[in-house]
């Protein structure tokens, strides 16, 4: 591996993905708006301009025992995401032996765990801090402990991490089983990707896993897992309007909120990019082949937008069986792959 | 430059119902939720979080119970921020404050929103129609951009 | 579950409101949870108290009646109608039949818009934005019909002592417009019903939660559709002569007592309302809609009941020699329906509790009774019946 | 089962078309245009064809939201009566108590749509001159006097004639 490709990849890939990711919320919102038979916001509004707007807002100190740490969390999230992304590039495939699915799965878990910290580190005005003379008028109230929305959300994240991410992991491992290796580059190579020289012309010589039976089943499991990681409907119980409003992110304002938005956008695109790498066999490379990669990265967000437009938020009563079902699907995928 | 453009292109609005009759509230919700009106097309998005909001839309007269909460919610919004008083009640206290005439106004309400927090736009009507609300909101956005 | 048992398990309190995305009005809900299962609930609703009954004392009755409409922007017509009806009965004012018909049309349109608002709101709480918007889309023609009828989408101010404001009279052209709008409404409503009640994900969210037994419904005083969804077949419209004598209609009942039943009852009521409006439009008597020659004077204590979209409402009032209000009381359905929901949401998941509470269609602008603000000591509290009686004795 | 399948297929087709081509859109474009250009006006509150300019509405308004504005070209309503002023309602001050509507003699005495309505007055067109010739339906004399007291001098004479 030459150092110049390594440096180039490290410099270019995050910037390009970063820039492209700001469009995605707008596209998703537009799709939903069209399903809802309305015009909806311009594509740049929800992702792109909103971030700049937040950057220019007055900076405030969040109500948090550790404001600095609280503000740092989304930034950590962004770095995590781009680190994961870089690990899937051919240039980084040799780095410390980290470019494996196990490492990525672990990092995604860390990313999810950030929400638990966020939830425990803040307290917005909307629940326990609301200035309102609460009176007890006969309700049975033993414990004086009051739980804020953020804490409720943190608990939910914890539950979601423990049960909800199996589909994602299984979805990640189906290609690994098929390729017989947990290294990302071998999964890509199995589908016909040639690390040494890959040009835009070579795309048609790829034979994506997606179009095999186990690949298809695994991909479905991956999509379900994708929704869970994103906390998108129907798995948005951690920040549902039905009770906890925005959950862990309630206290982010101004720059920190911009960072939070960016973290979400990064998750949207990076998790989608991993899907493209694993199931189409096209990892992000510096060169013209990046363009089809980025276009393919839209597939999952679009699917998520459509699914979320037609589903209510699910409570754990539905999440358990559903995630169980998706896990079973993933297992079927793995079994098919082994066969 | 970028500041002004971005502020004009992404606006978050938060609703607070301070104890009106629901009439104004419904019309605001209608302006947001009804595809016929569709507030988002004017780049205005609904939020329930003061930390994210730019415009605070208040409906109803401020009842004594609500005064403190309203103030704190207003303070939680980072600058620049605007307040829109929607409906007669939010402007002057409406019938609850004025209909009594010699009998005096209700002692349960403080009155219009302006008595509690500074107001930037008054939208008359009982309740204002969704189109009135949308036009008013769309027309105050430049104020937001002009702020520090 | 025994009370002590619940007490043991209620570990944590999760307070919601008074500004909240699911429970839109300013009220405070405090849910006591064990893990995330609701063990007990308490709803405090005194934020929207504006002292309407109090400012009405001494007001000329016509002015007071206008104020009754402002009790609420959803049940607006039924309040002014019920109040007007009460005063007309007390003073023996003759009301043309045409006015009765138009008042009924107003009330049924109000029921439609209220129920459709409920659907929109319920879907929003379920997190289903698309269907919420669909519900609001269906609701739009109802608002337009109200606008055509009265010149406003909310607060139509139709009744006036002696009949209706002639602004709200229905001429031939209006009638045609209303009938054709009604037809489109019916079609889209039925389509929406079939689509949503067959969606298994949605049904899975509303089935088996928020159970309110018949006994509890009686005990805690659930009213209107909430009562009928728990198997009690009663509707004030059966006893209100304006309805009973003029129109054919049926009462929707369901015995499930779940959230899904409360939704289904409302859907059925919407379709029934459309039929009542159609009957009223088609058989509208031909006469002047208002009688302006009547005498105002003293009125003995009178009461009147009617069926609002959300259940029974009650008004009572007495007038002095000049037709000024001596005292006015108004009791509205949400007050008691909501206390039934405090019970119904026990045992549900936290996220289901909000939809259960919303399934009684809570709306608190009318609901608060009396708050004492003790400024000297800087505390506020709600008077309990006991204390109220004590105060009354002390004064008396 | 088969029905369900067809139904789902149709739903999927509909929504794909909606996403790609924005068909079935319910957002009103004329409304959008009006809002963007700032063209939404408050609804008409005074029916000039029916108003006789008597000033009762302005006199009764508890919050002084109505101003009687002199007309540039006075209108002759009956041979003996010329309307010189018209009411203008300020919605920012109004609290929608309907006092103006309910005390407008057109409604109070003749049971016709009042010439002023705080929300939207509508389109009533009757012959005012003819209406004024009709006898006033006798009502409670106290009420009658109360409304008469609100009218300006000239209009009072006009109505007394009819009475
Ligand atoms: S302005 Fe009218 S509609 Fe709005 S809250 Fe007040 S009374 Fe209700
Ligand atoms: S109880 Fe309700 S209706 Fe009566 S004065 Fe209070 S808020 Fe108004
Ligand atoms: S029950 Fe609800 S809708 Fe009816 S008057 Fe009361 S607040 Fe309004
Ligand atoms: S009245 Fe009912 S539907 Fe309307 S905001 Fe309140 S709870 Fe929601
Ligand atoms: S007891 Fe309650 S409801 Fe009755 S008049 Fe007093 S405040 Fe009103
Ligand atoms: S408090 Fe008294 S009057 Fe009121 S419902 Fe209970 S028993 Fe009846
Ligand atoms: S009271 Fe009626 S007729 Fe007289 S000025 Fe006012 S609107 Fe015109
Ligand atoms: S409705 Fe408005 S303009 Fe008319 S009298 Fe009342 S406050 Fe004045």
């Amino acid at each position: 591996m030459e150092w110049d490709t390594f440096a180039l990849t490290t410099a270019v890939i995050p910037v390009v993905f970063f820039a492209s990711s700001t469009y995605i919320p707008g596209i998703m919102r537009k799709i939903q708006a069209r399903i809802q038979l309305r015009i909806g916001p311009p594509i740049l509004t929800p992702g792109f301009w909103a971030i700049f707007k937040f950057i220019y807002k007055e900076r405030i100190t969040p109500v948090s025992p550790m404001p600095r740490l609280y503000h740092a969390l989304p930034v950590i999230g962004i770095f995590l995401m781009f680190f994961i992304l870089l690990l899937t590039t051919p240039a980084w495939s040799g780095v410390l032996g980290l470019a494996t699915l196990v490492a990525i799965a672990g990092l995604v878990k860390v990313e999810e765990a950030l929400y638990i910290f966020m939830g425990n580190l803040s307290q917005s005005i909307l629940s326990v801090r609301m200035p309102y003379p609460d009176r007890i008028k006969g309700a049975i109230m033993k414990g004086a402990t009051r739980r804020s929305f953020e804490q409720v959300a943190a608990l939910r994240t914890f539950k979601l991490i423990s049960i909800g991410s199996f589909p994602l992991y299984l979805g990640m491992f189906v290609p690994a089983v098929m390729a017989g290796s947990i290294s990302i580059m071998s999964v890509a190579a199995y589908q016909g990707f040639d690390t040494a020289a890959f040009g835009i012309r070579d795309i048609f010589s790829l034979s994506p896993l997606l179009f095999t039976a186990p690949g298809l089943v695994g991909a479905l499991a991956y999509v379900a897992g994708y929704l869970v990681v994103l906390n998108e409907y129907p798995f948005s119980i951690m920040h549902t309007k039905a009770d906890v409003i925005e959950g862990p992110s309630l206290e982010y304002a101004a720059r920190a909120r911009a960072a939070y938005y960016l973290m979400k956008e990064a998750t949207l695109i990076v998790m989608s990019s991993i899907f493209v790498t694993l199931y189409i066999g096209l990892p992000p490379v510096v060169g013209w082949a990046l363009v089809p990669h980025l276009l393919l990265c839209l597939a999952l967000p679009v699917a998520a937008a459509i699914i979320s437009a037609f589903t209510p938020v699910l409570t754990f009563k539905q999440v358990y069986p559903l995630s169980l079902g998706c896990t079973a699907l993933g297992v079927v995928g793995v079994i098919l792959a082994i066969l | 430059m970028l500041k002004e453009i971005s502020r004009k292109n992404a606006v978050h609005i938060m609703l607070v119902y301070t104890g009106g009759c629901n009439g104004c509230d419904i019309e605001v919700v209608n302006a947001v939720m009804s595809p016929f009106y569709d507030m988002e097309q004017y780049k205005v998005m609904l939020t329930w979080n003061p930390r994210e909001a730019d415009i605070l839309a208040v409906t109803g007269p401020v009842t004594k119970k609500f005064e403190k909460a309203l103030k704190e919610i207003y303070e939680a919004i980072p600058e620049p921020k605007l307040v829109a008083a929607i409906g007669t009640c939010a402007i002057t206290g409406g019938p609850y404050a004025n209909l009594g005439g010699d009998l005096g106004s209700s002692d349960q309400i403080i009155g219009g929103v302006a008595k509690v927090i500074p107001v930037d736009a008054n939208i008359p009507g009982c309740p204002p129609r969704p189109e009135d609300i949308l036009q008013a909101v769309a027309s105050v956005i430049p104020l937001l951009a002009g702020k520090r | 579950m025994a009370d002590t048992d619940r007490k043991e398990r209620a570990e944590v309190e999760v307070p919601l409101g008074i500004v909240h995305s699911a429970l839109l009005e300013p009220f405070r809900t405090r849910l006591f949870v064990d893990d995330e299962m609701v063990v007990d609930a308490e709803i405090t609703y005194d934020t929207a108290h504006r002292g309407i009954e109090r400012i009405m004392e001494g007001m000329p009755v016509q002015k007071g009646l206008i104020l009754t409409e402002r009790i609420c922007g959803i049940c607006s017509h039924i309040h002014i109608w019920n109040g007007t009806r009460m005063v007309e009965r007390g003073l023996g004012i003759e009301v043309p039949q045409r006015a009765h018909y138009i008042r009924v049309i107003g009330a049924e349109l109000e029921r439609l818009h209220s129920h459709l608002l409920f659907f929109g709101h319920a879907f929003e709480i379920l997190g289903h934005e698309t269907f919420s918007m669909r519900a609001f889309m269906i609701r739009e023609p109802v608002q337009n019909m109200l606008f055509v009828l009265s010149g406003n989408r909310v607060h139509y101010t139709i009744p006036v002592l002696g009949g209706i404001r002639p602004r709200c009279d229905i001429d031939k052209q209006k009638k045609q417009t209303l009938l054709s709008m009604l037809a489109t409404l019916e079609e889209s409503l039925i389509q929406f019903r079939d689509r949503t009640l067959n969606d298994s994900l949605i049904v899975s969210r509303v089935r088996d939660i928020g159970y309110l037994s018949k006994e509890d419904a009686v005990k805690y005083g659930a009213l209107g559709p909430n009562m009928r969804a728990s198997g009690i077949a009663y509707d004030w419209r059966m006893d209100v002569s304006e309805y009973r004598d003029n129109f054919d209609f049926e009462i929707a009942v369901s015995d499930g007592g779940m959230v899904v039943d409360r939704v289904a009852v409302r859907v059925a009521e919407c379709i029934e309302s459309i039929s009542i409006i159609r009957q009223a439009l088609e058989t509208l008597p031909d006469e002047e809609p208002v009688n302006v020659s009547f005498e105002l004077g003293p009125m003995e204590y009178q009461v009147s009941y009617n069926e609002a979209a959300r259940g029974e409402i009650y008004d009572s009032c007495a007038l002095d020699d000049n037709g000024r209000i001596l005292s006015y009381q108004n009791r509205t359905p949400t007050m008691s329906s909501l206390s039934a929901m405090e019970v119904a949401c026990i045992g549900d998941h936290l996220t289901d509790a909000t939809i259960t509470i919303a399934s009684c269609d809570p709306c608190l602008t009318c609901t608060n009774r009396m708050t004492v603000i003790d400024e000297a000591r800087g505390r506020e509290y709600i008077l309990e019946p006991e204390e109220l009686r004590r105060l009354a004795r002390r004064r008396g | 089962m088969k029905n369900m399948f067809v139904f789902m297929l149709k739903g999927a087709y509909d929504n794909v078309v909606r996403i790609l081509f924005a068909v079935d859109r319910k957002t009103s474009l004329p409304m959008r245009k009006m809002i963007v250009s700032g063209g939404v006006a408050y609804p008409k509150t005074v029916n000039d064809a029916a108003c006789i300019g008597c000033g009762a509405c302005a006199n009764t308004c508890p919050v002084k939201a109505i101003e009687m504005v002199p007309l540039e070209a006075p209108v002759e309503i009956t041979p003996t009566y010329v309307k010189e002023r018209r009411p203008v309602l300020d919605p920012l001050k109004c609290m929608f108590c309907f006092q103006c509507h309910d005390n407008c003699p057109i409604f109070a005495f003749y049971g016709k749509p009042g010439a002023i309505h705080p929300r939207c007055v509508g389109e009533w067109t009757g012959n005012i001159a003819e209406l004024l010739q009709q006898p006033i339906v006798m009502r409670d004399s106290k009420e009658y006097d109360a409304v008469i007291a609100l009218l300006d001098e000239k209009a009072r004479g006009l109505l007394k004639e009819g009475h």
Side-chain angles (χ1 to χ4, degrees), chain A:
Chain A
M1 175 58 57
E2 304 99 33
W3 277 105
D4 53 344
T5 359
F6 181 78
L8 195 67
T9 308
T10 314
V12 170
I13 295 281
V15 173
V16 173
F17 271 76
F18 192 73
S20 336
S21 73
T22 49
Y23 287 73
I24 292 181
I27 294 173
M28 291 173 74
R29 197 67 190 144
K30 198 75 180 177
I31 288 174
Q32 287 172 351
R34 291 220 167 144
I35 291 174
Q36 289 154 356
L37 309 181
R38 60 199 179 92
I39 294 178
I43 293 210
L44 284 179
T45 292
F48 186 78
W49 291 122
I51 287 170
F52 284 107
K53 178 193 79 175
F54 286 127
I55 289 178
Y56 288 117
K57 287 208 87 162
E58 172 203 24
R59 263 174 278 169
I60 49 120
T61 332
V63 179
S64 158
M66 290 181 245
R68 276 163 180 258
L69 177 60
Y70 181 67
H71 272 176
L73 288 173
V75 183
I76 298 175
I78 299 172
F79 277 114
L80 258 177
M81 270 301 149
F82 285 116
F83 188 54
I84 294 176
L85 178 68
L86 285 172
L87 286 181
T88 66
T89 58
W92 276 56
S93 59
V95 178
L96 305 172
L98 270 175
T100 63
L101 284 165
V102 177
I104 290 184
L107 290 173
V108 171
K109 206 153 218 163
V110 175
E111 167 90 10
E112 287 181 82
L114 287 181
Y115 289 105
I116 303 182
F117 292 111
M118 283 179 196
N120 282 319
L121 279 180
S122 66
Q123 217 171 53
S124 89
I125 190 185
L126 291 169
S127 57
V128 291
R129 277 180 51 232
M130 180 66 75
Y132 188 79
D134 276 311
R135 277 166 305 261
I136 297 137
K137 295 181 314 199
I140 306 161
M141 208 189 90
K142 182 189 137 219
T145 346
R146 311 180 95 205
R147 195 177 277 163
S148 66
F149 291 164
E150 287 89 340
Q151 285 164 328
V152 174
L155 277 173
R156 288 182 180 172
T157 321
F158 186 68
K159 287 186 198 163
L160 264 186
I161 293 181
S162 49
I163 53 134
S165 30
F166 285 122
L168 182 77
Y169 300 146
L170 286 168
M172 279 187 181
F173 282 103
V174 168
V177 173
M178 291 184 78
S181 160
I182 56 163
S183 146
I184 292 160
M185 270 322 111
S186 15
V187 173
Y190 177 78
Q191 302 173 60
F193 180 79
D194 177 10
T195 326
F198 191 83
I200 193 152
R201 273 169 218 283
D202 301 327
I203 285 175
F204 297 100
S205 62
L206 292 177
S207 51
L209 279 182
L210 184 61
F211 304 132
T212 62
L216 199 63
V217 176
L220 286 178
Y222 190 98
V223 172
Y226 180 72
L227 293 172
V228 176
V229 172
L230 279 172
N231 304 305
E232 215 6 294
Y233 284 101
F235 298 104
S236 58
I237 189 159
M238 170 202 113
H239 59 107
T240 166
K241 279 195 211 161
D243 45 20
V244 294
I245 311 188
E246 276 177 33
S249 64
L250 272 167
E251 270 300 290
Y252 284 120
R255 286 188 177 193
R257 180 158 280 275
Y260 178 74
Y261 267 52
L262 283 173
M263 165 178 155
K264 275 203 317 202
E265 286 164 15
T267 318
L268 268 171
I269 199 162
V270 171
M271 295 312 290
S272 191
S273 159
I274 295 174
F275 178 81
V276 176
T277 308
L278 291 180
Y279 282 90
I280 311 278
L282 179 61
V285 284
V286 182
W288 283 110
L290 195 55
V291 177
H293 180 92
L294 284 173
L295 284 178
L296 286 170
C297 280
L298 276 179
L300 281 177
V302 166
I306 296 174
I307 292 172
S308 60
F310 285 108
T311 40
V313 49
L314 300 178
T315 64
F316 284 109
K317 202 165 78 188
Q318 292 95 17
V319 169
Y320 285 125
L322 202 68
S323 129
L324 219 63
C326 293
T327 311
L329 201 70
V331 172
V332 169
V334 171
I335 292 171
L336 280 179
I338 293 172
L339 294 178

Side-chain angles (χ1 to χ4, degrees), chain D residues 46 50-58 68 85-87 100 103-106 114-116 151:
Chain D
V46 177
C51 171
I52 56 171
C54 67
C57 47
M68 295 302 293
R85 303 177 303 160
R86 77 181 282 273
C100 49
N103 286 305
C104 175
I106 311 294
I116 189 163
L151 310 184

Side-chain angles (χ1 to χ4, degrees), chain C residues 2 48 161 173 175 180 216 229 241 282 284 324 342 373-374:
Chain C
L161 284 182
Q173 202 196 337
K175 182 171 143 185
S180 72
D216 277 349
S241 60
E282 272 159 7
L284 197 62
R324 285 176 182 264
E342 286 182 356
I373 300 192
D374 189 342

Side-chain angles (χ1 to χ4, degrees), chain B residues 65-114:
Chain B
K65 277 287 162 51
F66 214 111
E67 184 189 9
K68 204 160 163 228
L70 182 62
K71 260 190 199 145
E72 290 204 8
I73 288 170
Y74 177 75
E75 274 154 23
I77 303 177
E79 291 281 353
K81 56 190 165 191
L82 295 178
V83 177
I86 298 179
T88 299
C89 288
I91 301 173
T92 62
Y96 317 111
N98 302 310
L99 190 57
D102 306 339
L103 303 167
S105 104
S106 164
D107 52 8
Q108 300 292 330
I109 64 167
I110 292 177
V113 178

Side-chain angles (χ1 to χ4, degrees), chain B residues 17 22 26, chain C residues 22 24-25 74 117-118 121 310 361-364:
Chain B
Y17 304 170
N22 267 352
I26 298 168
Chain C
L24 299 181
E25 276 99 348
I74 309 173
L117 179 68
F118 164 71
H121 187 211
R310 295 156 194 232
D361 213 357
C363 32
L364 298 126

Side-chain angles (χ1 to χ4, degrees), chain C residues 331-375:
Chain C
R331 200 189 60 233
T332 48
T334 294
M335 237 182 104
S336 55
S337 291
L338 204 56
S339 47
M341 289 308 129
E342 286 182 356
V343 185
C345 68
I346 290 176
D348 292 346
H349 187 271
L350 187 57
T351 313
D352 288 332
T354 49
I355 176 74
T356 299
I357 292 170
S359 75
C360 91
D361 213 357
C363 32
L364 298 126
T365 62
C366 67
T367 301
N368 192 251
R369 302 320 301 163
M370 194 165 171
T371 315
V372 174
I373 300 192
D374 189 342
E375 270 168 7

